[in-house]
Amino acid sequence: MGAPAGFVVMASVVLAVSLCGGVGRAQDMDNEWARYRGFFGGGGTLLPQSDVDLLEFPLNLEYLEAEFFCWSALGYGLDGIDVNLTGGGPPPVGAQTAALTPFVRDVATQFCYQEVGHLRAIKQNVRGFPRPLLDISATNFGKIVEQAMNTTLDPPFNPYENSLNFLIASYIIPYVGLTGYVGANPKLLTPQARRLVAGLLGVESAQDAVIRALLYERGLSRVASYGVGVAEVTAHISELRNELGRRGVKDEGLVVAPGEGPEGQTVGNIIAGDRFSLAYDRTPEEILGVVYGTGNPAQAGGFFPQGADGRIARGLLM
């Protein structure tokens, strides 16, 4: 049987120190080894700490998506599916069953179990952390939509009230994680981590495409009680995320200004992309600013009242 990967790396460090000698060289080797104090992932591969951090960070978004989709579709979340996946973290605030059509409930159910699979996949590669406190209440979603629309809505927006509201609320969440995976990919050092992120990105992108397509079909429909078109609402949400991310345009609604669609040829914008129709990227700092609703990765709020978890997020909190 071959030696474990961790043993081989450590043995190489020890051998290098013995050959080169000197306290300074030993310190260099200690620093080098520190880069590899990661986690034995699937297949016994030792991931560098930077890969561990970048793989753990999106657990925050995966927890959020899993709880929202599962509660909306099934009337229960991770505690009712596999309590071990929660790591003992607190239950989400304000979760409830959504009043959905059979078709939209079927889509939401599929999204729910896909997110459960994502949590399992990430935790097979890194230790992760317990589910953070999540606020998926109608009140919180209502505040986000009012912030985007820059007005007080009467009655308040409720994502659980009907299928259209649920789809608008769904528009708010998966796209943020998608941009995070795009941003993380070039920073990953190992094929194992890049393969995992590519797989996660593929499904998150598909979810976002489904949500956008269902909303695009309803683009000219009015959101009940507000007299505002669906496409207009998505544009305001995307503008808010750009504002909170503080790094320019990385988000687009379902309809864009003339010349801003793919190759400048359409105003329809069923899938968001840059001028080459490539997916936008976001850093963890940008993502936290968006999901906190504060524009500041050091100031918790929004979906994460007590802040997100993991080394990256904790290191940024005030």
Side-chain angles (χ1 to χ4, degrees), residues 51 54 179-190 193-198 201:
D51 278 12
L54 288 169
T179 57
Y181 286 132
V182 176
N185 191 55
K187 300 175 184 177
L188 296 167
L189 301 178
T190 60
R194 289 194 295 270
R195 184 166 54 249
L196 174 61
V197 165
L201 173 59

mmCIF file of all heavy atoms in Angstrom, residues 51 54 179-190 193-198 201:
data_model
loop_
_atom_site.group_PDB
_atom_site.id
_atom_site.type_symbol
_atom_site.label_atom_id
_atom_site.label_comp_id
_atom_site.label_asym_id
_atom_site.label_seq_id
_atom_site.Cartn_x
_atom_site.Cartn_y
_atom_site.Cartn_z
ATOM 1 N N ASP A 51 -7.695 26.319 -0.831
ATOM 2 C CA ASP A 51 -8.791 25.609 -1.488
ATOM 3 C C ASP A 51 -9.891 25.268 -0.496
ATOM 4 O O ASP A 51 -11.084 25.368 -0.810
ATOM 5 C CB ASP A 51 -8.279 24.319 -2.144
ATOM 6 C CG ASP A 51 -7.656 24.561 -3.503
ATOM 7 O OD1 ASP A 51 -7.408 25.732 -3.848
ATOM 8 O OD2 ASP A 51 -7.384 23.583 -4.229
ATOM 9 N N LEU A 54 -11.993 28.362 0.086
ATOM 10 C CA LEU A 54 -12.833 28.711 -1.055
ATOM 11 C C LEU A 54 -13.961 27.700 -1.277
ATOM 12 O O LEU A 54 -14.993 28.042 -1.855
ATOM 13 C CB LEU A 54 -11.976 28.822 -2.321
ATOM 14 C CG LEU A 54 -11.074 30.056 -2.380
ATOM 15 C CD1 LEU A 54 -10.072 29.936 -3.524
ATOM 16 C CD2 LEU A 54 -11.900 31.332 -2.540
ATOM 17 N N THR A 179 -22.182 33.449 -9.387
ATOM 18 C CA THR A 179 -21.073 34.366 -9.636
ATOM 19 C C THR A 179 -19.901 34.083 -8.693
ATOM 20 O O THR A 179 -18.742 34.303 -9.053
ATOM 21 C CB THR A 179 -21.516 35.830 -9.483
ATOM 22 O OG1 THR A 179 -22.074 36.032 -8.171
ATOM 23 C CG2 THR A 179 -22.559 36.194 -10.526
ATOM 24 N N GLY A 180 -20.213 33.591 -7.494
ATOM 25 C CA GLY A 180 -19.153 33.238 -6.561
ATOM 26 C C GLY A 180 -18.323 32.065 -7.050
ATOM 27 O O GLY A 180 -17.092 32.056 -6.915
ATOM 28 N N TYR A 181 -18.969 31.064 -7.632
ATOM 29 C CA TYR A 181 -18.233 29.915 -8.171
ATOM 30 C C TYR A 181 -17.364 30.334 -9.348
ATOM 31 O O TYR A 181 -16.234 29.858 -9.505
ATOM 32 C CB TYR A 181 -19.204 28.817 -8.596
ATOM 33 C CG TYR A 181 -19.816 28.058 -7.435
ATOM 34 C CD1 TYR A 181 -21.190 27.827 -7.360
ATOM 35 C CD2 TYR A 181 -19.006 27.558 -6.417
ATOM 36 C CE1 TYR A 181 -21.740 27.139 -6.290
ATOM 37 C CE2 TYR A 181 -19.557 26.860 -5.349
ATOM 38 C CZ TYR A 181 -20.926 26.654 -5.290
ATOM 39 O OH TYR A 181 -21.480 25.969 -4.241
ATOM 40 N N VAL A 182 -17.879 31.236 -10.189
ATOM 41 C CA VAL A 182 -17.068 31.738 -11.312
ATOM 42 C C VAL A 182 -15.833 32.453 -10.775
ATOM 43 O O VAL A 182 -14.726 32.292 -11.293
ATOM 44 C CB VAL A 182 -17.902 32.685 -12.204
ATOM 45 C CG1 VAL A 182 -17.034 33.288 -13.303
ATOM 46 C CG2 VAL A 182 -19.076 31.943 -12.819
ATOM 47 N N GLY A 183 -16.014 33.247 -9.720
ATOM 48 C CA GLY A 183 -14.895 33.972 -9.141
ATOM 49 C C GLY A 183 -13.892 33.081 -8.443
ATOM 50 O O GLY A 183 -12.683 33.359 -8.457
ATOM 51 N N ALA A 184 -14.358 32.000 -7.835
ATOM 52 C CA ALA A 184 -13.469 31.112 -7.086
ATOM 53 C C ALA A 184 -12.621 30.224 -7.988
ATOM 54 O O ALA A 184 -11.470 29.900 -7.665
ATOM 55 C CB ALA A 184 -14.287 30.242 -6.134
ATOM 56 N N ASN A 185 -13.170 29.823 -9.124
ATOM 57 C CA ASN A 185 -12.519 28.802 -9.952
ATOM 58 C C ASN A 185 -11.067 29.092 -10.290
ATOM 59 O O ASN A 185 -10.203 28.229 -10.113
ATOM 60 C CB ASN A 185 -13.341 28.574 -11.226
ATOM 61 C CG ASN A 185 -12.880 27.350 -11.986
ATOM 62 O OD1 ASN A 185 -12.831 26.259 -11.431
ATOM 63 N ND2 ASN A 185 -12.535 27.532 -13.248
ATOM 64 N N PRO A 186 -10.698 30.288 -10.791
ATOM 65 C CA PRO A 186 -9.288 30.511 -11.143
ATOM 66 C C PRO A 186 -8.352 30.601 -9.947
ATOM 67 O O PRO A 186 -7.127 30.562 -10.119
ATOM 68 C CB PRO A 186 -9.336 31.845 -11.909
ATOM 69 C CG PRO A 186 -10.561 32.524 -11.426
ATOM 70 C CD PRO A 186 -11.545 31.435 -11.147
ATOM 71 N N LYS A 187 -8.908 30.713 -8.742
ATOM 72 C CA LYS A 187 -8.075 30.812 -7.549
ATOM 73 C C LYS A 187 -7.769 29.445 -6.931
ATOM 74 O O LYS A 187 -6.933 29.340 -6.031
ATOM 75 C CB LYS A 187 -8.771 31.691 -6.500
ATOM 76 C CG LYS A 187 -9.037 33.108 -6.976
ATOM 77 C CD LYS A 187 -9.827 33.894 -5.937
ATOM 78 C CE LYS A 187 -10.185 35.287 -6.440
ATOM 79 N NZ LYS A 187 -11.018 36.016 -5.456
ATOM 80 N N LEU A 188 -8.445 28.407 -7.393
ATOM 81 C CA LEU A 188 -8.263 27.072 -6.828
ATOM 82 C C LEU A 188 -6.973 26.446 -7.347
ATOM 83 O O LEU A 188 -6.623 26.603 -8.522
ATOM 84 C CB LEU A 188 -9.462 26.192 -7.161
ATOM 85 C CG LEU A 188 -10.795 26.658 -6.557
ATOM 86 C CD1 LEU A 188 -11.961 25.915 -7.182
ATOM 87 C CD2 LEU A 188 -10.785 26.468 -5.040
ATOM 88 N N LEU A 189 -6.297 25.714 -6.479
ATOM 89 C CA LEU A 189 -4.983 25.167 -6.822
ATOM 90 C C LEU A 189 -5.028 23.717 -7.275
ATOM 91 O O LEU A 189 -4.132 23.278 -7.996
ATOM 92 C CB LEU A 189 -4.045 25.294 -5.610
ATOM 93 C CG LEU A 189 -3.817 26.711 -5.076
ATOM 94 C CD1 LEU A 189 -2.906 26.661 -3.853
ATOM 95 C CD2 LEU A 189 -3.219 27.607 -6.161
ATOM 96 N N THR A 190 -6.043 22.965 -6.852
ATOM 97 C CA THR A 190 -6.043 21.529 -7.114
ATOM 98 C C THR A 190 -7.132 21.124 -8.100
ATOM 99 O O THR A 190 -8.210 21.712 -8.117
ATOM 100 C CB THR A 190 -6.258 20.741 -5.803
ATOM 101 O OG1 THR A 190 -7.523 21.128 -5.234
ATOM 102 C CG2 THR A 190 -5.142 21.024 -4.804
ATOM 103 N N ALA A 193 -10.527 20.341 -6.348
ATOM 104 C CA ALA A 193 -11.361 21.481 -5.993
ATOM 105 C C ALA A 193 -11.995 22.108 -7.235
ATOM 106 O O ALA A 193 -13.182 22.471 -7.229
ATOM 107 C CB ALA A 193 -10.530 22.527 -5.239
ATOM 108 N N ARG A 194 -11.222 22.220 -8.302
ATOM 109 C CA ARG A 194 -11.762 22.821 -9.528
ATOM 110 C C ARG A 194 -12.876 21.960 -10.131
ATOM 111 O O ARG A 194 -13.868 22.478 -10.650
ATOM 112 C CB ARG A 194 -10.638 23.030 -10.551
ATOM 113 C CG ARG A 194 -9.669 24.141 -10.171
ATOM 114 C CD ARG A 194 -8.803 24.539 -11.347
ATOM 115 N NE ARG A 194 -7.918 23.476 -11.768
ATOM 116 C CZ ARG A 194 -6.687 23.286 -11.309
ATOM 117 N NH1 ARG A 194 -6.194 24.105 -10.378
ATOM 118 N NH2 ARG A 194 -5.931 22.304 -11.751
ATOM 119 N N ARG A 195 -12.715 20.643 -10.046
ATOM 120 C CA ARG A 195 -13.738 19.736 -10.560
ATOM 121 C C ARG A 195 -15.033 19.883 -9.765
ATOM 122 O O ARG A 195 -16.131 19.902 -10.339
ATOM 123 C CB ARG A 195 -13.221 18.297 -10.504
ATOM 124 C CG ARG A 195 -14.176 17.266 -11.106
ATOM 125 C CD ARG A 195 -13.470 15.939 -11.323
ATOM 126 N NE ARG A 195 -12.837 15.427 -10.116
ATOM 127 C CZ ARG A 195 -11.517 15.348 -9.924
ATOM 128 N NH1 ARG A 195 -10.694 15.736 -10.874
ATOM 129 N NH2 ARG A 195 -11.031 14.874 -8.806
ATOM 130 N N LEU A 196 -14.908 19.984 -8.450
ATOM 131 C CA LEU A 196 -16.093 20.149 -7.608
ATOM 132 C C LEU A 196 -16.807 21.458 -7.939
ATOM 133 O O LEU A 196 -18.028 21.481 -8.116
ATOM 134 C CB LEU A 196 -15.695 20.121 -6.134
ATOM 135 C CG LEU A 196 -16.814 20.436 -5.123
ATOM 136 C CD1 LEU A 196 -17.948 19.430 -5.235
ATOM 137 C CD2 LEU A 196 -16.261 20.478 -3.698
ATOM 138 N N VAL A 197 -16.058 22.541 -8.019
ATOM 139 C CA VAL A 197 -16.663 23.843 -8.296
ATOM 140 C C VAL A 197 -17.295 23.870 -9.680
ATOM 141 O O VAL A 197 -18.377 24.455 -9.873
ATOM 142 C CB VAL A 197 -15.621 24.965 -8.130
ATOM 143 C CG1 VAL A 197 -16.099 26.264 -8.766
ATOM 144 C CG2 VAL A 197 -15.331 25.198 -6.653
ATOM 145 N N ALA A 198 -16.665 23.226 -10.654
ATOM 146 C CA ALA A 198 -17.252 23.169 -11.998
ATOM 147 C C ALA A 198 -18.601 22.455 -11.967
ATOM 148 O O ALA A 198 -19.561 22.891 -12.612
ATOM 149 C CB ALA A 198 -16.301 22.465 -12.959
ATOM 150 N N LEU A 201 -21.119 24.763 -10.204
ATOM 151 C CA LEU A 201 -21.442 25.889 -11.063
ATOM 152 C C LEU A 201 -22.408 25.485 -12.172
ATOM 153 O O LEU A 201 -23.342 26.234 -12.504
ATOM 154 C CB LEU A 201 -20.158 26.464 -11.669
ATOM 155 C CG LEU A 201 -20.316 27.557 -12.728
ATOM 156 C CD1 LEU A 201 -21.065 28.759 -12.163
ATOM 157 C CD2 LEU A 201 -18.944 27.983 -13.261
#
